[in-house]
Amino acid sequence: MTDEPPLRRRAAESRTGNEADRPPSARPEPADAGTEPHADGPVPLIAPREGTPQPAATPDELAEVVARFAAGTGPVALDAERASGYRYSQRAYLVQLRRAGSGTALIDPLPLPDLSALDTVIGEAEWVLHAASQDLPCLAELGLRPRRLFDTELAARLAGFERVGLAALTEQLLGYSLEKHHSAADWSSRPLPESWLTYAALDVEMLVDLRDALDEELTRQGKSAWAAEEFAALVRTGARPPRVRAEPWRRTSGIHRVRGARAQARVRSLWYARDQIAARRDAAPGRVLPDSAIVAAAELDPKDEKTLLTLPGFGGRSVRRLARTWLAALDDARQLPDDALPVAPTVEGPPPPHRWAERDPVAAARLARCREVVVRIAGAHNLPPENLIAPDSIRRLAWVPPEEVTESTVAETLRGLNAREWQITLLLPALTEALQDPPPTP
């Protein structure tokens, strides 16, 4: 390993060096819409090499995509576009794929919600995704589940890159710049504009080349086995839907300003009224009623429509139409008996770290020692501390260490907290020592 920031020097050289040294799929071709290499910066990537494909939207068009990808070779680059911020669900509204010998394909999953035929022909290949944990659940809903994968964002984190976004990595490692101005678009809208389709196709255009560059760097740093463990864990667990929180209304932005159980009951009642409407409309909850409006109504407790509509967030036409719904929710909270009001939630696991010194000074000192170990070892291996071990795992280990602290018991505890073997190997000796509490002073 080296102290040199990984690949940054070599990436800079590749941008100013001989164009023939670039991977063939990374070199500008005539179909790149006239882009020319810039000696002083990255090449703007503005069009796919084979042009922008139209999304497959019929069974026959899907069958043609399946046949093409069955005939292709090597890894398959995949991406999915959702409509976060616009829709209640986290389903995919566009799926993008690229493979050597197959080209790029776009699929509209609205008329084609079952892509298991595609999964059959690409299932045994390595899938290449960027930030795979974001896309695996919505791909699984369509019948797409990887058996092997390579996550370029996670690989970049393990390799020590400071900027791990797709555009940043493509520029650093391949010398091409990607526009990301459609990343927050409403992908549920139809028809999708041509510029959006071009953006979507370019997201998979360089993904396999990026995978190869990162794999080379991981090999150079001796981290390939670490990455393989991380990718295998994603295959096992990445397609699971997010865990449903017991009291999701408590995550309302600004709820810390709402004082008292009765006022919190108003937040809860408004939150669930909004959630039912959002789910029925398949609209993002914040587009039905913003969190700020829920908090304002919970604080003031308006009892008539005129007062309600003067509050911030209640001025929009669609919100005003639901005024009776919001007033009914507030009235429901008003009618609750005291024993039905919210109570402080039972905290699973350790308390917030800022309370440790007060609650258990010995545990607080133990946590400080463990954190120092993680930061030191992560720095020595050019890793973000959170990728060396999950912060929650360290807190749980430090709060309730094994009854007998040995390398064997600490390793067993870490495995129970879903730590990978490479993480345990790096941390075990130093963490075991850090968990040893000094004898009490006489």
Side-chain angles (χ1 to χ4, degrees):
M1 289 186 292
T2 175
D3 292 332
E4 177 193 0
L7 274 186
R8 292 192 178 91
R9 176 174 55 79
R10 288 191 287 162
E13 290 170 354
S14 71
R15 290 197 293 271
T16 57
N18 191 328
E19 190 69 22
D21 292 335
R22 288 184 179 164
S25 59
R27 297 176 199 150
E29 296 180 17
D32 282 341
T35 57
E36 294 294 337
H38 299 285
D40 57 348
V43 178
L45 197 61
I46 59 176
R49 275 161 284 189
E50 298 92 7
T52 300
Q54 291 302 300
T58 68
D60 287 346
E61 290 170 344
L62 176 60
E64 188 273 332
V65 171
V66 170
R68 272 201 288 135
F69 277 78
T73 58
V76 179
L78 286 100
D79 191 25
E81 303 296 346
R82 299 181 303 281
S84 302
Y86 295 92
R87 295 292 180 176
Y88 185 84
S89 71
Q90 290 298 307
R91 64 172 299 176
Y93 287 95
L94 189 71
V95 176
Q96 307 100 281
L97 306 97
R98 183 174 179 84
R99 190 181 197 184
S102 307
T104 296
L106 306 179
I107 300 174
D108 184 348
L110 294 185
L112 299 171
D114 181 4
L115 302 183
S116 55
L118 180 62
D119 182 80
T120 299
V121 301
I122 66 172
E124 298 307 317
E126 180 186 75
W127 295 13
V128 183
L129 296 96
H130 189 80
S133 60
Q134 296 181 19
D135 290 337
L136 289 177
C138 67
L139 291 174
E141 290 179 2
L142 300 171
L144 295 171
R145 294 177 175 84
R147 287 62 151 179
R148 294 184 295 134
L149 69 76
F150 189 105
D151 184 334
T152 50
E153 183 197 53
L154 182 50
R157 291 184 184 278
L158 294 176
F161 282 86
E162 295 174 7
R163 299 167 61 213
V164 297
L166 179 60
L169 290 171
T170 300
E171 182 174 322
Q172 290 178 75
L173 301 186
L174 303 178
Y176 283 80
S177 63
L178 283 172
E179 293 292 336
K180 300 301 291 180
H181 51 279
H182 295 310
S183 59
D186 180 5
W187 290 91
S188 67
S189 62
R190 293 294 185 272
L192 292 171
E194 186 78 9
S195 62
W196 294 19
L197 298 177
T198 297
Y199 162 91
L202 288 175
D203 267 359
V204 293
E205 180 83 2
M206 311 294 290
L207 208 48
V208 172
D209 295 316
L210 186 59
R211 173 243 182 266
D212 292 343
L214 287 165
D215 184 55
E216 177 186 345
E217 180 62 16
L218 289 170
T219 300
R220 189 180 73 83
Q221 294 189 27
K223 297 177 179 176
S224 294
W226 303 358
E229 282 194 59
E230 294 298 314
F231 300 157
L234 273 174
V235 169
R236 289 193 303 271
T237 65
R240 296 175 187 170
R243 181 173 60 89
V244 177
R245 295 179 178 274
E247 296 182 300
W249 60 273
R250 291 188 181 276
R251 294 182 64 81
T252 303
S253 179
I255 195 174
H256 62 279
R257 302 202 312 265
V258 179
R259 304 297 182 187
R262 184 71 59 179
Q264 289 194 346
R266 294 193 284 271
V267 172
R268 180 177 65 184
S269 188
L270 286 166
W271 192 97
Y272 281 110
R274 178 186 70 174
D275 194 66
Q276 289 177 358
I277 295 167
R280 186 171 68 246
R281 294 180 177 178
D282 190 18
R287 290 182 169 264
V288 175
L289 185 70
D291 281 8
S292 58
I294 290 179
V295 169
E299 289 181 308
L300 187 64
D301 190 21
K303 298 174 179 61
D304 57 77
E305 186 171 325
K306 181 179 179 180
T307 307
L308 176 74
L309 297 183
T310 63
L311 297 179
F314 286 92
R317 182 181 302 175
S318 63
V319 175
R320 290 200 307 271
R321 268 197 226 109
L322 294 166
R324 291 184 181 179
T325 300
W326 312 132
L327 288 170
L330 290 167
D331 189 58
D332 288 345
R334 213 173 285 124
Q335 302 299 322
L336 286 174
D338 289 347
D339 60 4
L341 296 177
V343 296
T346 302
V347 178
E348 294 183 6
H354 67 271
R355 295 185 178 171
W356 284 39
E358 173 188 337
R359 293 271 300 272
D360 188 338
V362 174
R366 192 186 306 134
L367 176 63
R369 295 194 301 272
C370 290
R371 282 175 162 175
E372 188 280 327
V373 165
V374 172
V375 170
R376 173 169 51 82
I377 294 178
H381 292 276
N382 198 26
L383 288 167
E386 63 272 19
N387 287 107
L388 176 56
I389 190 75
D392 182 66
S393 298
I394 288 297
R395 287 194 293 270
R396 290 177 182 272
L397 178 65
W399 185 249
V400 184
E403 188 171 336
E404 181 184 3
V405 176
T406 66
E407 289 196 3
S408 176
T409 60
V410 171
E412 182 180 357
T413 302
L414 288 172
R415 289 188 187 99
L417 294 169
N418 297 316
R420 259 69 77 188
E421 291 303 315
W422 72 268
Q423 298 170 323
I424 295 171
T425 299
L426 288 181
L427 289 168
L428 190 56
L431 266 188
T432 303
E433 182 179 350
L435 289 167
Q436 302 283 351
D437 295 325
T441 55

